[in-house]
Amino acid sequence: MFRYSEILEKMPGVLKIENARRMIRERNSSTKIVVLDDDSTGCQTVYDISILLSWKDPILRETLFTEDVFYILTNSRAYSERKAMAVNRTIAKSLIRLFNPDRLRVISRSDSTLRGHFYGEVMPLMKILGPFDGIIIAPYFKEGRRFTVFDTHFILDDDQLIEVNETEFSKDPVFGYKNAYLPSWIEEKSKGFWKAKDTVSVSIEDIRVGGPERVKEILLGVEGGKPIIVNALCDEDLEVFILGLIGAEKSGKRFLYRTAASFVKVRAGIEDRELITPPKMRRGLIVVGSYVKMTTAQLTRLLKNSKIERIEVEIKKILNNYRLYLKELVEDIDRRLVKKSVVVYTEREYFNLGSENELEVGQKISKFLSDLVRGIKVRPDFIISKGGITSHMVAERGLKARKVKVLGQVSPGVPVWELGEESKYPRLLYVVFPGNVGSEETLLDVYKKFVD
């Protein structure tokens, strides 16, 4: 285990390039940045950007030709690997049909704790949009305190850098893994397609001592679709790397990106902005579907320190009596929501029943929560949805959203959407709250920003 403060002392000083984000934006002038996001939380570092929940014409065509940076929400982390591959394949074919692939910069955005269909998502993109000289691997995510150094991915807890394979995230029932050392993780998750020895590393020293020219030099030597590990301890490290990356691309190199949310912000040259302050409102709806420990701790604090109406959803009843239970809870939510805010949350113990696997049970739970929102008749003043897969299902299925606008963040790593006119509740403020972001107080704090 490493101490973060000691690592910082031993590393070269941060290389700060004045106006780096502006320089990146200017060098992006002839390109389109398209982010394929495997759940709804990946917009947690950006603002004033559209997210498509549908990738059919004409909405995709119109957005490609009117916006330089946008997201396509695939929700593929909720699917089997086979379906995730099919979704990415379909989108890639649409992109190449509608736009010049040489001008596309495609980011496969996934979880900063290394969960997701890594191989299943990047391979269709490489085959259809490629060939690529390399695939950029950058799970660094400042807002979530996730850092990469020594080619190893860590989560910061106080002053301790904990290897991510020693956290609850590596024990995920669907996306578990054994390695935090990224060359080994790549070999593990690609089922040996890429070997650890074949990966390329861009170290902190390369970035901070060599600068963009050293990064460019490394990338110019990459070929054959090799994975390239990006080490980063701060946003300035990403800025240096991306300036070198753009230089290599302008020299004819092509790269696919598999990254966490911070990379999106810097690759698009988006400047940092203060948190948004939402208008005060009377009553909201909070939907909690995530099962990670932090979500449970945040929910416990909310229930203990607020007078919000609460409804616990029983998993057995979802699996055994879906329609009757749905009708019962919809009526209960409407009755309470007329007067006060309501939090609807699943039982905190995630379990498997019968022959259904964990992913199928999780999909059914998310579907039920979204059907609750679809069924209610009382319009809340705002909605907070906890958990990436839950947030997507509630927005797409429950609220019938097809295109939304990211307004910014209400707390670090917690984005706020404004729903489009086509949705069930036009212009409603919708908070997409990742399951693993924040402290125990953050859900309560975000709720109070709306109602206090």
Side-chain angles (χ1 to χ4, degrees):
M1 190 176 293
F2 297 94
R3 286 193 173 276
Y4 182 61
S5 56
E6 292 177 357
I7 294 294
L8 294 183
E9 288 177 4
K10 294 177 181 178
M11 288 293 162
V14 175
L15 177 57
K16 297 184 179 181
I17 298 178
E18 189 175 357
N19 297 318
R21 304 279 176 93
R22 177 179 58 78
M23 293 167 62
I24 291 169
R25 287 197 306 276
E26 290 173 351
R27 296 174 191 186
N28 285 341
S29 59
S30 62
T31 62
K32 298 282 185 179
I33 297 175
V34 182
V35 186
L36 308 190
D37 202 339
D38 72 353
D39 85 355
S40 56
T41 64
C43 58
Q44 60 203 137
T45 61
V46 302
Y47 52 85
D48 296 340
I49 284 180
S50 294
I51 300 177
L52 306 186
L53 284 77
S54 170
W55 46 86
K56 297 180 180 178
D57 278 350
I59 191 170
L60 178 57
R61 181 190 300 271
E62 177 190 356
T63 307
L64 264 172
F65 284 92
T66 59
E67 303 185 33
D68 292 331
V69 183
F70 65 93
Y71 283 71
I72 299 174
L73 182 51
T74 69
N75 199 38
S76 48
R77 207 183 306 169
Y79 305 145
S80 67
E81 183 177 59
R82 178 177 293 183
K83 185 172 180 180
M85 294 180 78
V87 168
N88 278 265
R89 190 179 298 116
T90 298
I91 295 173
K93 287 180 179 178
S94 293
L95 289 173
I96 204 169
R97 174 173 54 86
L98 295 172
F99 206 79
N100 180 358
D102 290 335
R103 291 181 55 201
L104 289 175
R105 301 293 180 264
V106 176
I107 302 175
S108 176
R109 202 298 305 184
S110 191
D111 183 48
S112 61
T113 63
L114 303 182
R115 297 170 298 170
H117 294 294
F118 168 60
Y119 178 80
E121 297 197 29
V122 301
M123 288 310 296
L125 301 178
M126 294 187 76
K127 288 179 180 178
I128 294 169
L129 299 174
F132 293 100
D133 293 291
I135 174 171
I136 306 297
I137 311 293
Y140 160 86
F141 176 46
K142 178 185 71 175
E143 289 79 0
R145 299 161 69 84
R146 288 90 193 249
F147 304 98
T148 306
V149 64
F150 312 128
D151 290 341
T152 302
H153 199 49
F154 297 91
I155 292 180
L156 181 63
D157 184 7
D158 291 328
D159 193 41
Q160 298 294 323
L161 283 170
I162 301 171
E163 293 188 26
V164 72
N165 64 322
E166 297 178 359
T167 69
E168 64 171 311
F169 306 110
S170 69
K171 311 303 186 293
D172 186 285
V174 180
F175 299 113
Y177 52 89
K178 298 178 180 178
N179 297 286
Y181 180 59
L182 290 176
S184 298
W185 177 85
I186 289 166
E187 181 171 340
E188 174 189 354
K189 300 306 288 186
S190 71
K191 306 176 183 68
F193 180 84
W194 288 296
K195 303 298 184 184
K197 63 182 177 61
D198 296 327
T199 60
V200 177
S201 173
V202 180
S203 69
I204 297 293
E205 290 80 1
D206 290 324
I207 290 169
R208 296 186 177 183
V209 178
E213 286 304 312
R214 173 58 181 156
V215 173
K216 178 181 175 182
E217 178 186 10
I218 293 171
L219 296 181
L220 287 176
V222 178
E223 58 185 17
K226 288 184 178 179
I228 302 154
I229 296 163
V230 182
N231 289 272
L233 289 167
C234 60
D235 283 357
E236 287 85 357
D237 291 337
L238 278 190
E239 290 172 354
V240 173
F241 174 81
I242 287 169
L243 285 168
L245 169 66
I246 294 173
E249 289 175 331
K250 288 187 177 298
S251 296
K253 286 292 184 176
R254 297 191 72 225
F255 300 98
L256 179 67
Y257 316 138
R258 176 72 170 188
T259 80
S262 292
F263 186 92
V264 179
K265 172 184 66 177
V266 181
R267 183 62 186 82
I270 297 171
E271 304 286 353
D272 293 331
R273 180 188 280 185
E274 296 294 321
L275 298 174
I276 65 175
T277 302
K280 296 301 179 184
M281 300 180 185
R282 189 167 65 89
R283 50 185 174 74
L285 176 64
I286 302 178
V287 182
V288 180
S290 168
Y291 285 91
V292 300
K293 291 179 182 178
M294 181 54 70
T295 290
T296 299
Q298 291 172 346
L299 174 63
T300 301
R301 194 61 58 95
L302 173 72
L303 296 177
K304 183 178 179 180
N305 294 282
S306 73
K307 296 180 179 180
I308 191 170
E309 291 286 314
R310 59 220 46 198
I311 298 173
E312 184 179 60
V313 178
E314 298 179 41
I315 309 303
K316 272 188 178 180
K317 290 185 177 180
I318 293 177
L319 300 176
N320 297 334
N321 207 350
Y322 192 101
R323 291 186 180 180
L324 184 62
Y325 191 43
L326 179 68
K327 182 176 183 295
E328 173 190 328
L329 289 194
V330 165
E331 292 173 354
D332 195 12
I333 294 169
D334 274 335
R335 183 170 60 252
R336 300 181 192 223
L337 194 55
V338 169
K339 297 180 180 179
K340 295 184 68 177
S341 293
V342 177
V343 57
V344 179
Y345 58 95
T346 51
E347 296 178 286
R348 291 295 83 199
E349 183 180 354
Y350 186 97
F351 58 89
N352 189 355
L353 295 178
S355 61
E356 294 177 292
N357 64 38
E358 298 279 1
L359 190 58
E360 289 170 345
V361 173
Q363 289 172 343
K364 189 166 288 188
I365 294 169
S366 295
K367 178 176 178 291
F368 184 85
L369 294 175
S370 64
D371 283 345
L372 285 177
V373 175
R374 182 166 66 171
I376 62 175
K377 295 180 173 60
V378 177
R379 173 175 171 143
D381 296 326
F382 63 94
I383 294 177
I384 299 173
S385 185
K386 194 79 170 73
I389 293 171
T390 298
S391 295
H392 174 270
M393 291 286 284
V394 168
E396 192 269 340
R397 182 182 175 89
L399 295 168
K400 300 296 182 183
R402 296 294 176 266
K403 185 173 183 176
V404 302
K405 179 74 75 174
V406 183
L407 300 182
Q409 286 69 50
V410 67
S411 183
V414 183
V416 181
W417 297 357
E418 182 181 64
L419 300 187
E421 295 294 331
E422 80 290 346
S423 67
K424 178 179 180 179
Y425 299 132
R427 297 177 300 283
L428 181 89
L429 295 189
Y430 182 71
V431 180
V432 178
F433 203 133
N436 54 25
V437 164
S439 69
E440 292 186 5
E441 301 288 340
T442 308
L443 179 58
L444 177 64
D445 291 343
V446 168
Y447 172 64
K448 286 184 174 181
K449 286 185 179 183
F450 282 89
V451 299
D452 273 8

